[in-house]
Amino acid sequence: MTQPFPIPTPTDWRAEAEKALKGRALEGLVHLDADGLTIRPLYGRANAADAVFAPRAVGADGRPWDLRTLVEGDDPEAVNAAVLTDLEGGAASVILAGAVLSDSEPLSRALNGVSMELAPVALHAGIDGPDAANALAVAAKGSPRARLLFHMDPLTAFATAGGSPRPIAAHVELAANTAARHAGAYPEATFFLATGRAAHEAGGSAGQELGFAAAAAATYVRAAVDAGLSVERALGGTVLGVSVDAEYFDSLARVRALRLMWRSLSRALGHETPAVIEARSSRRMLAATDPWPNLLRLTAAGFAGAVGGAEAVVLDGFSRARGRPDAFARRQARNTQLVLMEEARLGRVADPAAGSWFLDHRTRDLAEVGWAEFQKIEREGGLIASLHGGAIQQRVARSREALLKTYQDGGVHLVGVTKFVDADVRPVSVEDAPPPSAPGDGDRCRLLTPVRWAETFEGEVA
């Protein structure tokens, strides 16, 4: 008869840890993150929180998640070729960006041959989101089964540009009115993307990103209700966005935490609604001097989005820090997800993180600190008032300084940048991208400037 392995006690672990530390204090294994949360070296029954089960709501047409690709361009025929290549190569949906969104005619050409009843089409149009939404509504030819993701998100555009052509409240109102106008014709459509990406890419903490996303969601839902939508339709028409990076444990915990927060937020707004979460890979983690190790970072980010339970996962091209990714980089981004889905089979288990003492504890911690940030923004008058007053920007700046210091002090290394540097970097090609548009003079705020952690060191190793 086989004997079971003995289960070590915390006392046993402590003895072994002290032996390995060779006189150093055991407390040195306890760390504080950018939100001031404690991360302990050991989690178990003695310090476990209640179990968390936060699976994605539904599969994506028989697949565990929606493999979504980003296609950017100004020429409709080139964009159309890229979209068809992605969909034929395994993508389930696409996000479009660039000048093709300027009007329904070029957008219709870019979507020639795409069945929008089967392949959802999303938009990334910045402050011009309502105009792009109108163009997509025309391109969909009134099909009530078209799965349109308008992804209107003027708040992120305002925060990252530092301004908008008109008062930002007017842009939010216009987005809400646009949603109300198309809701009847397109019952499968979603209208808003509520994300904390602006805070994340500017160096914000996990709690600040989650709080920003919740505050954006509350702003859009309230505006949609004022525009005439029911609370149920407004909530169901809101997609949540979250960033995932190479710190995959924290990233997947962010996805799960956002789902918990949405459960509370939708209930507070009047109708508990299942979350629909789109996880996008972080750009602040990418390197430019040697972009090839970004493939590893993006794989870790895709793993986090999939295991964390995001309904859709979007991976950027590995050459993004150099410019707009070309066809090869887009293919690598798509194939990375296919390997995770079809070969690693990450979607076979619903919420595989559930039951992990550490990940359940971390999920709850992040949900609580994200909710506290959301409440702080609400006390400041809501997200628009917080951006106007600069309060959220100040908190993000402090987090950015603290996180950057961990890299400068050597507490965290960047493969290919601060460690394992390749002396003979292989070249990469990128496409030309248009310069960012001016924010306009209608409204201003202190912008949330994007950061890349590697940029501080790349001059030294180039």
Side-chain angles (χ1 to χ4, degrees):
M1 181 177 178
T2 59
Q3 296 295 321
F5 287 106
I7 299 176
T9 66
T11 303
D12 296 331
W13 175 86
R14 185 181 186 92
E16 291 298 320
E18 288 174 340
K19 187 190 303 181
L21 287 169
K22 298 179 180 178
R24 287 175 291 164
L26 194 63
E27 289 70 25
L29 298 177
V30 178
H31 300 282
L32 291 178
D33 70 2
D35 288 304
L37 298 173
T38 301
I39 302 176
R40 296 189 288 269
L42 182 68
Y43 291 80
R45 288 189 179 90
N47 57 10
D50 292 338
V52 174
F53 185 56
R56 60 176 59 88
V58 293
D61 295 330
R63 299 172 114 189
W65 69 87
D66 181 338
L67 194 169
R68 187 166 294 166
T69 61
L70 173 62
V71 179
E72 304 159 274
D74 306 325
D75 177 67
E77 280 65 40
V79 170
N80 180 247
V83 167
L84 294 178
T85 296
D86 277 355
L87 293 175
E88 292 167 0
S93 63
V94 294
I95 302 173
L96 298 182
V100 293
L101 303 183
S102 61
D103 190 69
S104 59
E105 192 277 329
L107 183 55
S108 296
R109 287 160 56 198
L111 292 172
N112 183 40
V114 176
S115 175
M116 284 178 268
E117 294 86 354
L118 301 176
V121 174
L123 305 175
H124 180 78
I127 204 69
D128 297 320
D131 291 337
N134 293 333
L136 181 60
V138 173
K141 298 180 176 62
S143 170
R145 294 183 297 169
R147 299 161 68 182
L148 310 180
L149 310 173
F150 294 130
H151 271 23
M152 291 182 287
D153 185 16
L155 291 170
T156 295
F158 179 62
T160 54
S164 56
R166 291 187 287 172
I168 185 57
H171 286 284
V172 172
E173 181 181 2
L174 177 59
N177 289 332
T178 302
R181 185 165 61 255
H182 297 304
Y186 297 105
E188 300 295 321
T190 60
F191 313 119
F192 311 107
L193 178 65
T195 175
R197 186 172 66 251
H200 171 85
E201 298 294 3
S205 68
Q208 289 159 356
E209 178 188 1
L210 294 171
F212 193 110
T219 302
Y220 293 144
V221 170
R222 289 165 179 157
V225 171
D226 289 343
L229 288 179
S230 67
V231 171
E232 181 178 0
R233 186 69 179 98
L235 288 165
T238 302
V239 176
L240 303 173
V242 66
S243 302
V244 285
D245 58 25
E247 299 293 332
Y248 48 83
F249 280 151
D250 259 16
S251 292
L252 70 88
R254 278 201 299 275
V255 178
R256 301 173 83 225
L258 186 56
R259 195 175 300 281
L260 297 184
M261 292 173 63
W262 177 253
R263 188 181 301 163
S264 297
L265 180 60
S266 63
R267 188 184 300 132
L269 290 171
H271 189 276
E272 185 170 337
T273 305
V276 176
I277 298 176
E278 178 187 273
R280 292 196 194 186
S281 60
S282 166
R283 293 183 178 180
R284 75 185 194 187
M285 71 171 176
L286 299 178
T289 300
D290 183 2
W292 295 96
N294 291 335
L295 291 167
L296 300 176
R297 300 182 181 100
L298 290 163
T299 300
F303 170 89
V307 174
E311 275 71 22
V313 179
V314 185
L315 295 186
D316 221 331
F318 74 98
S319 56
R320 168 64 66 182
R322 289 277 191 94
R324 180 183 282 178
D326 64 0
F328 173 74
R330 292 195 300 270
R331 179 163 64 90
Q332 292 301 311
R334 185 180 71 243
N335 287 348
T336 296
Q337 284 208 59
L338 287 173
V339 170
L340 293 171
M341 183 184 293
E342 304 293 346
E343 297 186 27
R345 308 294 292 272
L346 293 186
R348 294 192 68 182
V349 177
D351 196 12
S356 162
W357 284 311
F358 166 61
L359 292 176
D360 281 349
H361 205 293
R362 189 68 175 153
T363 296
R364 286 197 179 278
D365 276 355
L366 292 182
E368 289 172 3
V369 76
W371 191 260
E373 177 67 24
F374 165 61
Q375 290 178 316
K376 192 177 296 181
I377 294 171
E378 289 290 283
R379 287 194 298 271
E380 292 162 354
L383 188 53
I384 291 176
S386 184
L387 287 169
H388 276 146
I392 180 66
Q393 294 95 323
Q394 290 176 1
R395 292 194 291 273
V396 168
R398 289 194 294 269
S399 173
R400 173 179 178 155
E401 292 172 4
L403 288 167
L404 184 57
K405 192 172 187 303
T406 64
Y407 289 95
Q408 292 172 332
D409 293 346
V412 180
H413 284 285
L414 294 165
V415 173
V417 179
T418 62
K419 200 169 187 179
F420 307 117
V421 179
D422 189 348
D424 186 19
V425 178
R426 290 169 292 165
V428 296
S429 62
V430 294
E431 297 176 354
D432 293 332
S437 58
D441 298 324
D443 205 350
R444 290 284 183 177
C445 73
R446 177 180 170 186
L447 61 82
L448 286 168
T449 308
V451 63
R452 273 195 317 106
W453 303 128
E455 192 170 11
T456 301
F457 310 96
E458 284 179 323
E460 302 171 7
V461 298

